[in-house]
Amino acid sequence: MPTVDDILEQVGEFGRFQKQTFLALCLLSAAFAPIYVGIVFLAFTPDHRCRSPGAAELSRRCGWSLAEELNYTVPGAGAAGEAFPRQCRGYEVDWNHSALGCVEPLAGLAANRSHLPLGPCRHGWVYDTPGSSIVTEFNLVCDDSWKVDLFQSCVNLGFFLGSLGVGYIADRFGRKLCLLATTLMSTVLGVLMAVAPDYTSLLLFRLLQGLVSKGSWTSGYILITEFVGLGYRRTVAILYQTAFTGGLVLLSGVAYAIPHWRWLQLAISLPTFLFLLYYWCVPESPRWLLSQKRNAQVVKILDHIAQKNGKLPLTDLKMLFLEEDVTEKLRPSFADLFVTPQLRKHTFILMYLWFTSSVLYQGLIMHVGATGANLYLDFFYSALVEFPAAFIILATTDRFGLIRPSAASNLMAGAACFAMIFISHDLRWLSITVACVGRMGITIVFQMVCLVSAELYPTFIRNLGVMVCSSLCDLGGVITPFVVFRLMDIWQGLPLTLFAVLGLVAGGVTLLLPETKGVTLPETIQDAENLGRMAKPKENMIYLQIRTSERAGT
């Protein structure tokens, strides 16, 4: 009896229909990039200093240049270990005092300006930037700088919580419904962020957007991998994730052209309303419909795919059944991820791999820090580093599969982190080069673990499995900033030591997963349990009985 992949071979594994659907969903993947890392531009922190109306008036009266005003009125760098005194504190003097001259105005108050008292910025701050960000608008600096971290943690918390619910919705009510609903909600919340009147409401909209936006991206990923045949499944999955990198590159250009955060937020949110057109151009997944025993819709969609691909229609698709006693629709449940020994093992390993990937990926970026003065170019170059990962995956998976390259990439990332511990601070170029090698390795792992997750779970819990496991990635995103900076306070190399251990262990446990190269997607729990075994039993498989129309004249 033919499987779903056998049917796709007849109607077209990657024909015109799949190509159009793939390109449409890639736009969705690219649009997710500003949500995931848009904080880089929405919440950038420019150089700033205390606003002092009296000092500004004295500067105007004396005709000082900006350099002279900064020299005369802004405190110096301060003692070692003191937190940004020139940005967060100002001289406690009366700048309207008539005794203050235009040359060294503070000389008459103290022989050494370091002896003058300093106080908090009572009149706000002056920001050295032509644009704006949530930092400059809501003054999220100095004692309130932690609110920027909270802003990013909220979206990751939203990803985490949403992963637990949206995955169930996609498996219970369908990939298409989940995709459309989450896309609409994410777009509306993105627009609301652009018009948020205060920081509290902005934080709330950010959290809610995190709850739904990742579900939209994941539903698109699952849809495209279920539409194509076995021979193209991995390629489109990898390229779908590469579209996210394309979104990163485009984001740097859009942010450069629109330096004001509210207009930038609108520019990245409003176009996503167009994704609602997917209602007419993207059908429901036949695999999901098959698992729900909605046979009539399966026939209709497969006939549509065959017609678009120029293939013979399926004229007699009669019967769809589960052998033995499986007579009801399969309902996804969280417990199904742990119901058999193999599924339990796969779920725990995948959870660890998702968590490790997030910690190493974000941790390496945080540890290296900004190495240049141009925010837009730095972001652009760092995004370009991720493109070669896709080509490496495409070049290796057909020959070696997914498991061994993924294990090797984890080991490479862990080894790079370990090597960075011993590189001198004077060899900055070498440290950055090794860090890029580590980032390349963990980027490869990120893309591969997403593909492995989709291939190890049966159809009716596939979306749920991917969402639950990837929720550990979001948990890693929530805690990584705090873990990194706390450990760096103890010793600069301590975070790298942790990254090295996590990466090396991940490389070892990856080898415990079964290779899925050349294996059809599992349709039932028994199929998933039998992955990696030499002989695959026939029971509990989902079958399609078909008869294609014969060509005229043959």
Side-chain angles (χ1 to χ4, degrees):
M1 290 291 196
T3 63
V4 180
D5 288 313
D6 295 329
I7 302 305
L8 286 174
E9 287 184 11
Q10 299 187 46
V11 301
E13 289 188 283
F14 194 61
R16 181 183 175 187
F17 167 81
Q18 284 94 343
K19 291 174 183 176
Q20 289 179 346
T21 305
F22 169 69
L23 291 176
L25 293 176
C26 276
L27 297 177
L28 182 71
S29 180
F32 182 62
I35 298 174
Y36 192 69
V37 295
I39 187 175
V40 174
F41 302 108
L42 296 174
F44 73 90
T45 303
D47 289 336
H48 51 280
R49 62 186 183 278
C50 290
R51 182 186 300 278
S52 175
E57 174 60 23
L58 182 62
S59 174
R60 186 194 62 78
R61 216 170 5 138
C62 295
W64 290 338
S65 65
L66 178 60
E68 289 174 322
E69 179 181 348
L70 295 177
N71 181 47
Y72 292 149
T73 65
V74 177
E82 194 172 354
F84 309 111
R86 66 177 297 116
Q87 295 181 329
C88 299
R89 304 175 71 185
Y91 291 120
E92 289 281 307
V93 299
D94 181 8
W95 291 101
N96 297 315
H97 197 282
S98 59
L100 297 180
C102 291
V103 180
E104 294 291 345
L106 300 179
L109 301 179
N112 190 332
R113 278 189 289 176
S114 63
H115 297 156
L116 290 173
L118 298 177
C121 299
R122 306 182 189 280
H123 303 284
W125 287 264
V126 176
Y127 298 96
D128 297 330
T129 176
S132 67
S133 71
I134 65 171
V135 171
T136 63
E137 181 166 335
F138 301 118
N139 289 324
L140 306 184
V141 292
C142 300
D143 291 340
D144 287 333
S145 61
W146 62 272
K147 293 182 179 180
V148 178
D149 301 327
L150 182 61
F151 179 74
Q152 181 63 10
S153 292
C154 272
V155 74
N156 280 286
L157 179 61
F159 290 159
F160 174 71
L161 298 176
S163 297
L164 305 179
V166 176
Y168 174 82
I169 293 173
D171 284 330
R172 177 66 177 83
F173 300 103
R175 282 70 160 119
K176 181 177 178 178
L177 177 62
C178 180
L179 184 148
L180 292 173
T182 53
T183 297
L184 175 61
M185 295 172 65
S186 178
T187 302
V188 171
L189 289 165
V191 173
L192 290 176
M193 283 178 57
V195 297
D198 52 51
Y199 173 78
T200 302
S201 58
L202 180 68
L203 205 63
L204 175 62
F205 296 145
R206 180 71 165 170
L207 173 64
L208 295 176
Q209 188 181 45
L211 282 171
V212 296
S213 57
K214 185 182 175 184
S216 176
W217 184 91
T218 307
S219 295
Y221 177 86
I222 296 296
L223 264 175
I224 193 56
T225 57
E226 292 186 345
F227 272 133
V228 301
L230 176 62
Y232 296 91
R233 193 170 66 215
R234 289 180 175 177
T235 300
V236 298
I238 293 167
L239 293 179
Y240 180 80
Q241 295 177 80
T242 304
F244 174 85
T245 303
L248 297 178
V249 174
L250 291 175
L251 175 61
S252 61
V254 174
Y256 178 78
I258 309 176
H260 299 280
W261 81 270
R262 290 189 183 272
W263 290 109
L264 174 61
Q265 180 63 31
L266 281 175
I268 61 181
S269 298
L270 289 176
T272 58
F273 273 115
L274 297 175
F275 294 146
L276 298 179
L277 296 175
Y278 289 167
Y279 178 83
W280 290 278
C281 60
V282 177
E284 182 56 88
S285 165
R287 293 180 186 271
W288 179 81
L289 292 171
L290 185 151
S291 71
Q292 301 300 301
K293 301 188 67 177
R294 291 159 65 171
N295 301 2
Q297 291 178 263
V298 174
V299 174
K300 183 178 178 180
I301 291 175
L302 290 177
D303 278 343
H304 173 70
I305 295 175
Q307 181 182 2
K308 291 280 287 186
N309 291 344
K311 300 290 185 178
L312 295 175
L314 302 174
T315 59
D316 189 17
L317 197 154
K318 297 179 181 178
M319 183 178 176
L320 178 65
F321 62 91
L322 293 173
E323 285 193 351
E324 297 183 355
D325 58 346
V326 185
T327 57
E328 298 182 355
K329 296 178 183 178
L330 296 172
R331 303 296 190 187
S333 167
F334 181 79
D336 289 330
L337 302 178
F338 307 92
V339 72
T340 66
Q342 288 300 313
L343 276 177
R344 280 196 296 274
K345 183 181 76 171
H346 298 167
T347 298
F348 285 127
I349 292 176
L350 289 172
M351 284 180 170
Y352 177 77
L353 293 180
W354 277 104
F355 177 81
T356 302
S357 298
S358 175
V359 172
L360 265 69
Y361 181 81
Q362 298 187 47
L364 278 173
I365 295 175
M366 293 177 187
H367 194 274
V368 172
T371 58
N374 192 311
L375 173 66
Y376 305 99
L377 282 179
D378 290 345
F379 188 87
F380 177 76
Y381 292 145
S382 66
L384 289 180
V385 170
E386 298 189 11
F387 274 114
F391 298 104
I392 293 174
I393 295 171
L394 291 173
T396 58
T397 53
D398 284 342
R399 182 174 181 180
F400 302 105
L402 285 173
I403 301 304
R404 285 183 293 173
S406 180
S409 299
N410 264 314
L411 294 174
M412 179 173 70
C417 293
F418 185 72
M420 289 175 63
I421 299 174
F422 304 99
I423 297 177
S424 170
H425 293 294
D426 297 332
L427 299 175
R428 180 67 176 170
W429 64 270
L430 181 58
S431 178
I432 294 175
T433 301
V434 175
C436 286
V437 172
R439 182 172 175 182
M440 174 70 67
I442 206 62
T443 299
I444 294 174
V445 173
F446 240 136
Q447 296 198 19
M448 284 189 171
V449 73
C450 193
L451 188 55
V452 171
S453 299
E455 295 187 356
L456 290 181
Y457 289 109
T459 299
F460 79 103
I461 58 169
R462 183 168 298 127
N463 209 85
L464 177 64
V466 173
M467 293 295 283
V468 169
C469 292
S470 65
S471 67
L472 271 293
C473 163
D474 308 320
L475 185 60
V478 171
I479 68 174
T480 297
F482 303 100
V483 171
V484 169
F485 295 129
R486 285 178 182 271
L487 294 181
M488 288 182 67
D489 288 340
I490 301 173
W491 175 44
Q492 291 285 325
L494 193 54
L496 295 174
T497 305
L498 175 62
F499 299 159
V501 172
L502 290 175
L504 295 175
V505 172
V509 299
T510 299
L511 296 175
L512 299 178
L513 295 174
E515 179 56 64
T516 55
K517 177 184 175 184
V519 178
T520 58
L521 287 175
E523 304 288 354
T524 67
I525 287 180
Q526 190 60 46
D527 291 344
E529 184 70 7
N530 291 331
L531 281 175
R533 299 180 182 177
M534 295 299 295
K536 184 175 181 179
K538 301 285 186 181
E539 66 272 14
N540 290 343
M541 291 185 65
I542 294 177
Y543 294 109
L544 286 171
Q545 291 186 339
I546 67 167
R547 183 173 69 248
T548 57
S549 60
E550 297 178 354
R551 292 183 180 273
T554 61

